[in-house]
Amino acid sequence: MAYVNACFMIDTKFHKALKEAFVIFCNKTVAGCTTAELLAAFCDNILKRRGSERLSDGAIEENLDKVVKLLVYINDKDLFAKYCRKNLARRLLFTPDANEEQERILLSMLKQQLGGNFTLNMERMVNDMILARECQSQFLKYLHNKEIQNLGMDITVTVLTTGSWPTYKTFDLNLPSMMIKCMEVFKSFYDLRYGRKTRRLRWIYSLGTCNVNGNFEPKTIELIVSTSQAVILLLFNNADRLSYSEIMTRLNLSHEDAGGLLHSLSCSKYKILNKEPNTKSISPNDIFQFNSKFTDKMRRIKIPITQNEDKRKMVEDLDKDRQYTIDAAIVRIMKSRKVLGYKQLLSECVKMLSPLFKPEIKTIKKRIEHLIAKDYLERDRDNQNIFKYVA
């Protein structure tokens, strides 16, 4: 840009050449990753740095500004938004000292460059965390006023708005009685505050974390685990040995979930459970036992679960989202124009969607046929290439 401005006197031809060149190489894939994905990961790395690794506010703002300028040349801006939202969710939920002010700076830059709709859900996510802290504060006051003291454990609940956050896996998990008691007390508080009919709580165990004291023979270690991992460990308070099938049945886990959770507790870096046979993979015939001899130099350790990033699912979800977006664009155009020729409709649809992504003509054709089948549009009887909006 400096060369175009200084050496070529801000000539429009050179501006156009620069833009065309950047569009070509910015939309190439690198080692199987799109530039949209890489830019989102770059933003995530900058914003989640902690301690000595953290950049100054000025350096963070400068880097984010460069990302937003590059984003102009990216065709799949909706893919960037999808990765950005997923990464933002992780930072807000799992980074204890997440800087919401810096998150707002990035969202402000994106909003200025790409419009309010682009950042709407992400802004709601940041606001949700503020409201969740207020809700937790009110809950603690409720416990104090009602003199509820014997919950058996401390509980912090983060209430998220459905639709604003990425979709998370939900499943029914058989919880210990103390956890159920805590959830029922919170539900009573929440129903009293917001009304039972206006809002419904749905618990997402896959996002929960627990701090559990492990009373090992060498010393007591505080284990930071997921809700599901904690529930498995608590089974061993009342049993010396449990089989794979017993754990699965007692907790109502699927094979996929049980395998991943038990692998994290018995085959990874921290072997909290001993497994028979002592192999590095989980099978339905395995027997598990609490490893009372376990120790570590730290008094507090986090036991991670291996997360399989399913890129295929991300692409499938994106394709579905794009279909709905194309449908909405076609209906919006036809609602305002009432009658429109086939080529004009294609042209206007591409123009409307290009700030977000580059739609394929064949996909638009399919969505037009879909909307005709759903009675949103109809073809003109005399000319099949003319469409009418059905009110």
CSV table of all heavy atoms in Angstrom, one decimal, residues 147-180:
chain,number,residue,atom,x,y,z
A,147,GLU,N,-30.7,-18.9,53.7
A,147,GLU,CA,-29.9,-19.7,54.6
A,147,GLU,C,-29.6,-21.1,54.1
A,147,GLU,O,-29.7,-22.1,54.9
A,147,GLU,CB,-30.5,-19.7,56.0
A,147,GLU,CG,-30.5,-18.3,56.6
A,147,GLU,CD,-31.1,-18.2,58.0
A,147,GLU,OE1,-31.5,-19.3,58.5
A,147,GLU,OE2,-31.1,-17.2,58.6
A,148,ILE,N,-29.4,-21.3,52.8
A,148,ILE,CA,-29.0,-22.6,52.3
A,148,ILE,C,-27.5,-22.8,52.3
A,148,ILE,O,-26.8,-22.1,51.6
A,148,ILE,CB,-29.5,-22.7,50.8
A,148,ILE,CG1,-31.0,-22.4,50.7
A,148,ILE,CG2,-29.2,-24.0,50.2
A,148,ILE,CD1,-31.6,-22.3,49.3
A,149,GLN,N,-27.1,-23.6,53.2
A,149,GLN,CA,-25.6,-23.8,53.4
A,149,GLN,C,-25.1,-25.2,53.2
A,149,GLN,O,-23.9,-25.4,53.0
A,149,GLN,CB,-25.3,-23.4,54.9
A,149,GLN,CG,-25.6,-21.9,55.2
A,149,GLN,CD,-25.5,-21.6,56.6
A,149,GLN,OE1,-25.4,-22.5,57.5
A,149,GLN,NE2,-25.4,-20.3,57.0
A,150,ASN,N,-26.0,-26.2,53.2
A,150,ASN,CA,-25.5,-27.6,53.1
A,150,ASN,C,-25.6,-28.1,51.7
A,150,ASN,O,-26.2,-29.2,51.5
A,150,ASN,CB,-26.3,-28.4,54.1
A,150,ASN,CG,-26.1,-27.9,55.5
A,150,ASN,OD1,-25.0,-27.6,55.9
A,150,ASN,ND2,-27.1,-27.9,56.3
A,151,LEU,N,-25.1,-27.4,50.7
A,151,LEU,CA,-25.2,-28.0,49.3
A,151,LEU,C,-24.2,-29.1,49.1
A,151,LEU,O,-24.3,-29.9,48.2
A,151,LEU,CB,-24.9,-26.8,48.3
A,151,LEU,CG,-26.1,-25.9,48.1
A,151,LEU,CD1,-25.7,-24.7,47.1
A,151,LEU,CD2,-27.3,-26.6,47.5
A,152,GLY,N,-23.1,-29.1,49.9
A,152,GLY,CA,-22.1,-30.1,49.8
A,152,GLY,C,-21.0,-29.7,48.8
A,152,GLY,O,-19.9,-30.4,48.8
A,153,MET,N,-21.2,-28.7,48.0
A,153,MET,CA,-20.1,-28.2,47.1
A,153,MET,C,-20.5,-26.8,46.7
A,153,MET,O,-21.6,-26.4,46.8
A,153,MET,CB,-20.1,-29.1,45.9
A,153,MET,CG,-21.4,-29.3,45.1
A,153,MET,SD,-21.3,-30.4,43.7
A,153,MET,CE,-20.7,-29.3,42.4
A,154,ASP,N,-19.5,-26.1,46.2
A,154,ASP,CA,-19.7,-24.7,45.6
A,154,ASP,C,-20.1,-24.9,44.2
A,154,ASP,O,-19.6,-25.8,43.5
A,154,ASP,CB,-18.5,-23.9,45.7
A,154,ASP,CG,-18.1,-23.6,47.2
A,154,ASP,OD1,-19.0,-23.5,48.0
A,154,ASP,OD2,-16.9,-23.5,47.5
A,155,ILE,N,-21.0,-24.1,43.7
A,155,ILE,CA,-21.5,-24.1,42.3
A,155,ILE,C,-21.5,-22.7,41.7
A,155,ILE,O,-21.9,-21.8,42.3
A,155,ILE,CB,-22.8,-24.8,42.2
A,155,ILE,CG1,-23.3,-24.9,40.7
A,155,ILE,CG2,-23.9,-24.2,43.1
A,155,ILE,CD1,-24.5,-25.7,40.5
A,156,THR,N,-20.9,-22.7,40.5
A,156,THR,CA,-21.0,-21.4,39.7
A,156,THR,C,-21.7,-21.8,38.4
A,156,THR,O,-21.2,-22.7,37.7
A,156,THR,CB,-19.6,-20.9,39.4
A,156,THR,OG1,-18.9,-20.6,40.7
A,156,THR,CG2,-19.6,-19.6,38.6
A,157,VAL,N,-22.7,-21.0,38.1
A,157,VAL,CA,-23.5,-21.3,36.8
A,157,VAL,C,-23.3,-20.2,35.9
A,157,VAL,O,-23.5,-19.0,36.2
A,157,VAL,CB,-25.0,-21.5,37.1
A,157,VAL,CG1,-25.7,-21.9,35.9
A,157,VAL,CG2,-25.1,-22.6,38.2
A,158,THR,N,-22.9,-20.5,34.6
A,158,THR,CA,-22.9,-19.5,33.6
A,158,THR,C,-24.0,-19.7,32.6
A,158,THR,O,-24.1,-20.7,31.9
A,158,THR,CB,-21.5,-19.6,32.8
A,158,THR,OG1,-20.4,-19.5,33.7
A,158,THR,CG2,-21.4,-18.5,31.8
A,159,VAL,N,-24.9,-18.8,32.6
A,159,VAL,CA,-26.1,-18.9,31.7
A,159,VAL,C,-25.9,-18.2,30.4
A,159,VAL,O,-25.5,-17.1,30.3
A,159,VAL,CB,-27.4,-18.3,32.4
A,159,VAL,CG1,-28.6,-18.5,31.5
A,159,VAL,CG2,-27.6,-18.9,33.8
A,160,LEU,N,-26.0,-19.0,29.3
A,160,LEU,CA,-25.7,-18.5,27.9
A,160,LEU,C,-27.0,-18.5,27.2
A,160,LEU,O,-28.0,-19.2,27.4
A,160,LEU,CB,-24.8,-19.5,27.2
A,160,LEU,CG,-23.5,-19.9,28.0
A,160,LEU,CD1,-22.7,-20.9,27.1
A,160,LEU,CD2,-22.7,-18.7,28.3
A,161,THR,N,-27.1,-17.6,26.2
A,161,THR,CA,-28.3,-17.4,25.4
A,161,THR,C,-28.2,-18.4,24.2
A,161,THR,O,-27.3,-18.3,23.4
A,161,THR,CB,-28.4,-16.0,24.8
A,161,THR,OG1,-28.3,-15.1,25.9
A,161,THR,CG2,-29.7,-15.7,24.1
A,162,THR,N,-29.2,-19.2,24.1
A,162,THR,CA,-29.3,-20.2,22.9
A,162,THR,C,-29.4,-19.4,21.6
A,162,THR,O,-30.1,-18.4,21.5
A,162,THR,CB,-30.5,-21.1,23.1
A,162,THR,OG1,-30.5,-21.7,24.3
A,162,THR,CG2,-30.6,-22.1,22.0
A,163,GLY,N,-28.6,-19.8,20.7
A,163,GLY,CA,-28.6,-19.1,19.3
A,163,GLY,C,-27.4,-18.2,19.1
A,163,GLY,O,-26.9,-18.0,18.0
A,164,SER,N,-27.0,-17.5,20.2
A,164,SER,CA,-25.8,-16.6,20.1
A,164,SER,C,-24.5,-17.4,20.1
A,164,SER,O,-23.6,-17.0,19.5
A,164,SER,CB,-25.8,-15.6,21.2
A,164,SER,OG,-27.0,-14.8,21.2
A,165,TRP,N,-24.5,-18.5,20.8
A,165,TRP,CA,-23.2,-19.3,21.0
A,165,TRP,C,-23.2,-20.4,20.0
A,165,TRP,O,-24.2,-20.8,19.4
A,165,TRP,CB,-23.2,-19.8,22.4
A,165,TRP,CG,-23.0,-18.8,23.5
A,165,TRP,CD1,-24.0,-17.9,23.9
A,165,TRP,CD2,-21.8,-18.4,24.2
A,165,TRP,NE1,-23.4,-17.0,24.8
A,165,TRP,CE2,-22.1,-17.3,25.0
A,165,TRP,CE3,-20.5,-19.0,24.2
A,165,TRP,CZ2,-21.2,-16.8,25.9
A,165,TRP,CZ3,-19.6,-18.4,25.1
A,165,TRP,CH2,-19.9,-17.3,25.9
A,166,PRO,N,-22.0,-20.9,19.7
A,166,PRO,CA,-21.9,-22.1,18.9
A,166,PRO,C,-22.7,-23.3,19.4
A,166,PRO,O,-23.0,-23.3,20.6
A,166,PRO,CB,-20.4,-22.5,18.9
A,166,PRO,CG,-19.7,-21.2,19.3
A,166,PRO,CD,-20.6,-20.5,20.2
A,167,THR,N,-23.1,-24.2,18.6
A,167,THR,CA,-23.9,-25.4,19.0
A,167,THR,C,-22.9,-26.4,19.7
A,167,THR,O,-21.9,-26.7,19.2
A,167,THR,CB,-24.5,-26.1,17.8
A,167,THR,OG1,-25.3,-25.1,17.1
A,167,THR,CG2,-25.5,-27.2,18.3
A,168,TYR,N,-23.4,-26.8,20.9
A,168,TYR,CA,-22.6,-27.7,21.7
A,168,TYR,C,-23.3,-29.0,21.9
A,168,TYR,O,-24.6,-29.1,21.9
A,168,TYR,CB,-22.3,-27.1,23.1
A,168,TYR,CG,-21.4,-25.9,23.0
A,168,TYR,CD1,-21.9,-24.7,23.3
A,168,TYR,CD2,-20.0,-26.0,22.7
A,168,TYR,CE1,-21.1,-23.5,23.2
A,168,TYR,CE2,-19.2,-24.9,22.6
A,168,TYR,CZ,-19.8,-23.7,22.9
A,168,TYR,OH,-19.0,-22.5,22.8
A,169,LYS,N,-22.6,-30.1,22.0
A,169,LYS,CA,-23.1,-31.4,22.2
A,169,LYS,C,-23.8,-31.5,23.6
A,169,LYS,O,-23.3,-31.2,24.6
A,169,LYS,CB,-22.0,-32.5,22.1
A,169,LYS,CG,-22.5,-33.9,22.2
A,169,LYS,CD,-21.3,-34.9,22.0
A,169,LYS,CE,-21.8,-36.3,22.0
A,169,LYS,NZ,-20.7,-37.3,21.9
A,170,THR,N,-25.1,-32.0,23.6
A,170,THR,CA,-25.8,-32.2,24.8
A,170,THR,C,-26.1,-33.6,25.0
A,170,THR,O,-26.4,-34.3,24.0
A,170,THR,CB,-27.1,-31.3,24.9
A,170,THR,OG1,-27.9,-31.7,23.7
A,170,THR,CG2,-26.8,-29.8,24.8
A,171,PHE,N,-26.1,-34.1,26.2
A,171,PHE,CA,-26.5,-35.5,26.5
A,171,PHE,C,-26.9,-35.6,28.0
A,171,PHE,O,-26.6,-34.7,28.8
A,171,PHE,CB,-25.3,-36.4,26.3
A,171,PHE,CG,-24.0,-36.0,27.0
A,171,PHE,CD1,-23.7,-36.4,28.2
A,171,PHE,CD2,-23.1,-35.2,26.3
A,171,PHE,CE1,-22.5,-36.0,28.9
A,171,PHE,CE2,-21.9,-34.8,26.9
A,171,PHE,CZ,-21.6,-35.2,28.2
A,172,ASP,N,-27.7,-36.6,28.2
A,172,ASP,CA,-28.2,-36.9,29.6
A,172,ASP,C,-27.1,-37.6,30.4
A,172,ASP,O,-26.6,-38.7,29.9
A,172,ASP,CB,-29.5,-37.7,29.6
A,172,ASP,CG,-30.6,-36.9,29.0
A,172,ASP,OD1,-30.7,-35.7,29.3
A,172,ASP,OD2,-31.5,-37.4,28.3
A,173,LEU,N,-26.7,-37.1,31.5
A,173,LEU,CA,-25.7,-37.7,32.3
A,173,LEU,C,-26.3,-38.0,33.7
A,173,LEU,O,-26.9,-37.1,34.3
A,173,LEU,CB,-24.5,-36.7,32.4
A,173,LEU,CG,-23.2,-37.2,33.1
A,173,LEU,CD1,-22.6,-38.3,32.4
A,173,LEU,CD2,-22.2,-36.0,33.2
A,174,ASN,N,-26.1,-39.2,34.2
A,174,ASN,CA,-26.6,-39.5,35.6
A,174,ASN,C,-25.6,-38.9,36.6
A,174,ASN,O,-24.5,-39.4,36.7
A,174,ASN,CB,-26.7,-41.0,35.8
A,174,ASN,CG,-27.8,-41.6,34.9
A,174,ASN,OD1,-28.7,-40.9,34.5
A,174,ASN,ND2,-27.7,-42.9,34.6
A,175,LEU,N,-26.0,-37.8,37.3
A,175,LEU,CA,-25.1,-37.1,38.2
A,175,LEU,C,-25.3,-37.6,39.6
A,175,LEU,O,-26.3,-38.1,40.0
A,175,LEU,CB,-25.5,-35.6,38.1
A,175,LEU,CG,-25.3,-34.9,36.7
A,175,LEU,CD1,-25.9,-33.5,36.8
A,175,LEU,CD2,-23.9,-34.8,36.3
A,176,PRO,N,-24.2,-37.3,40.4
A,176,PRO,CA,-24.3,-37.6,41.9
A,176,PRO,C,-25.4,-36.8,42.5
A,176,PRO,O,-25.7,-35.7,42.0
A,176,PRO,CB,-23.0,-37.3,42.4
A,176,PRO,CG,-22.1,-37.1,41.2
A,176,PRO,CD,-22.9,-36.8,40.1
A,177,SER,N,-25.9,-37.2,43.6
A,177,SER,CA,-27.0,-36.5,44.3
A,177,SER,C,-26.7,-35.1,44.7
A,177,SER,O,-27.5,-34.2,44.6
A,177,SER,CB,-27.5,-37.3,45.5
A,177,SER,OG,-26.4,-37.5,46.4
A,178,MET,N,-25.4,-34.8,45.1
A,178,MET,CA,-25.0,-33.5,45.5
A,178,MET,C,-25.1,-32.5,44.3
A,178,MET,O,-25.4,-31.3,44.5
A,178,MET,CB,-23.7,-33.5,46.2
A,178,MET,CG,-22.5,-33.7,45.3
A,178,MET,SD,-20.9,-33.4,46.2
A,178,MET,CE,-20.5,-35.0,46.7
A,179,MET,N,-24.7,-33.0,43.2
A,179,MET,CA,-24.8,-32.1,42.0
A,179,MET,C,-26.2,-31.8,41.6
A,179,MET,O,-26.5,-30.7,41.2
A,179,MET,CB,-24.0,-32.8,40.8
A,179,MET,CG,-22.5,-32.8,40.9
A,179,MET,SD,-21.8,-33.3,39.3
A,179,MET,CE,-20.1,-33.3,39.7
A,180,ILE,N,-27.0,-32.9,41.7
A,180,ILE,CA,-28.5,-32.7,41.4
A,180,ILE,C,-29.1,-31.7,42.3
A,180,ILE,O,-29.9,-30.8,41.9
A,180,ILE,CB,-29.2,-34.1,41.4
A,180,ILE,CG1,-28.7,-35.0,40.3
A,180,ILE,CG2,-30.7,-33.9,41.3
A,180,ILE,CD1,-29.2,-36.4,40.4
